[in-house]
Amino acid sequence: MSSCSSRQTPCSFGSVSSSPPPSSAALQTINMLDSAAEQMMVYRDFQAVFDTCQRGLEKLAGTEDYRCTELKTGFCILGIQALAELNRWDGVLAWVLQQYERQEDIPAKIMQMCILLYSKVGEAAEMQEAASVWLNCPSNCGSAGFRTVAELYLLHILVPLGRFEEAREFIASEVGGIAFAERKQAALNIVEEKAQQSQEAALRSGIHPGSEISAHPNSVKDAIIHKLEAMLRFLYRKVLTAGSGLFPLRRLFLIAVILYMLFSRLDPAAPSSFMWISKLCQLFKQMWRTTFGPYYQTLSQKE
């Protein structure tokens, strides 16, 4: 049995109107939503918040009443916040789709939350298809949050992912015309500015603007390079203080240099490699002077 009446009552909660009062089951559901909000804001018990939202959504399953639609949206908003606090953000979109089944049926408020959440954790690509489907659904064009969803799709999905050509096409499309209207040129200017900044940053780092390189492998590689640099400096100091009799230590130093080259995978033709090659040349020169400098001084004195 439905917990809300199936009669259409287009009024907001808390307002005084001629619509019939909510049933006891509906009041119980409203109390559940209030309880979930209290658990979120006061007690910070996020698992309890999510469990309460799950029970509330189960009670509302299969209903299409306006009141129930608003309650369902409220439960989903609190549930998304709870999942994010529990560090279970990767399951948010799947959980929302369990409640609404189709991507285009997700309310604008929830679509906005999902875009912002996945963008914040660096996984904007997860929302690209869902947001595109939602924006291209004709029934969503008249919704109150349509323009906001379009702006978030442009600025938090397409632009951060480097999809500048898709961003230009989106602005020029019929959907973009509805979403941006007189602000189309301003939106296009933002895209062009971000594209130029991305190209300049790629040129400074020696990466081709069209290539897609993830940040995580670079961070791991940088950490390895820093460790090898520290090891090279330590071994170099040992070579300076060890004297001329410890050739195995010098061999070990050379092995470390070779490992450094292998791990960093330097490309001599890349501009980003010039700094590392220069450092290695300096190290070799210093090592050469330390190892053979006294020998040449002795020869010159004899002559």
Side-chain angles (χ1 to χ4, degrees), residues 286-300:
Q286 292 173 359
M287 182 179 171
W288 179 273
R289 287 195 297 266
T290 302
T291 305
F292 299 103
Y295 174 73
Y296 284 114
Q297 289 179 1
T298 304
L299 287 178
S300 61

Side-chain angles (χ1 to χ4, degrees), residues 2 4-13 17-22 62-70:
S2 170
C4 294
S5 171
S6 60
R7 185 177 177 180
Q8 298 292 331
T9 55
C11 61
S12 59
F13 294 118
S17 66
S18 59
S19 61
T63 59
E64 297 296 336
D65 183 83
Y66 176 81
R67 283 200 190 103
C68 294
T69 300
E70 291 295 310

Side-chain angles (χ1 to χ4, degrees), residues 15-233:
S15 62
V16 178
S17 66
S18 59
S19 61
S23 63
S24 59
L27 288 174
Q28 184 181 3
T29 308
I30 294 172
N31 290 334
M32 289 179 66
L33 182 60
D34 292 338
S35 176
E38 184 179 5
Q39 291 167 343
M40 170 70 73
M41 303 302 297
V42 179
Y43 300 106
R44 310 289 290 176
D45 188 348
F46 305 116
Q47 186 60 54
V49 173
F50 180 74
D51 293 339
T52 302
C53 292
Q54 193 71 22
R55 291 195 302 270
L57 289 167
E58 290 173 359
K59 292 177 69 67
L60 295 173
T63 59
E64 297 296 336
D65 183 83
Y66 176 81
R67 283 200 190 103
C68 294
T69 300
E70 291 295 310
L71 284 172
K72 186 176 182 179
T73 302
F75 279 123
C76 285
I77 289 174
L78 289 174
I80 291 171
Q81 293 175 337
L83 288 173
E85 294 289 351
L86 293 169
N87 200 26
R88 290 159 55 185
W89 55 267
D90 53 337
V92 165
L93 181 59
W95 181 72
V96 170
L97 287 174
Q98 287 178 4
Q99 317 309 322
Y100 292 97
E101 296 184 358
R102 299 192 309 167
Q103 296 168 334
E104 55 267 35
D105 293 337
I106 299 174
K109 293 179 182 178
I110 296 178
M111 181 61 68
Q112 294 165 18
M113 286 189 66
C114 289
I115 293 175
L116 290 172
L117 173 61
Y118 279 88
S119 174
K120 183 176 180 180
V121 298
E123 296 293 340
E126 297 292 328
M127 285 299 301
Q128 183 175 4
E129 180 183 355
S132 178
V133 170
W134 191 92
L135 288 167
N136 284 281
C137 179
S139 61
N140 290 327
C141 293
S143 62
F146 180 79
R147 289 190 174 186
T148 303
V149 173
E151 291 174 1
L152 293 176
Y153 175 67
L154 176 68
L155 299 177
H156 291 268
I157 295 181
L158 294 181
V159 170
L161 292 176
R163 308 291 178 84
F164 300 113
E165 189 60 36
E166 290 184 38
R168 297 183 186 100
E169 294 175 359
F170 173 66
I171 295 172
S173 67
E174 181 180 356
V175 174
I178 297 172
F180 301 106
E182 68 280 359
R183 299 174 300 163
K184 287 181 67 174
Q185 187 58 47
L188 188 60
N189 291 340
I190 293 174
V191 172
E192 297 299 338
E193 180 182 356
K194 295 295 183 181
Q196 184 177 359
Q197 291 175 358
S198 176
Q199 186 176 12
E200 291 174 354
L203 291 174
R204 284 196 300 268
S205 61
I207 302 173
H208 192 274
S211 62
E212 296 183 0
I213 301 177
S214 62
H216 181 67
N218 283 339
S219 62
V220 173
K221 178 179 174 181
D222 290 340
I224 294 174
I225 290 176
H226 289 319
K227 289 181 180 180
L228 286 172
E229 279 188 309
M231 183 175 64
L232 285 174
R233 287 193 294 267

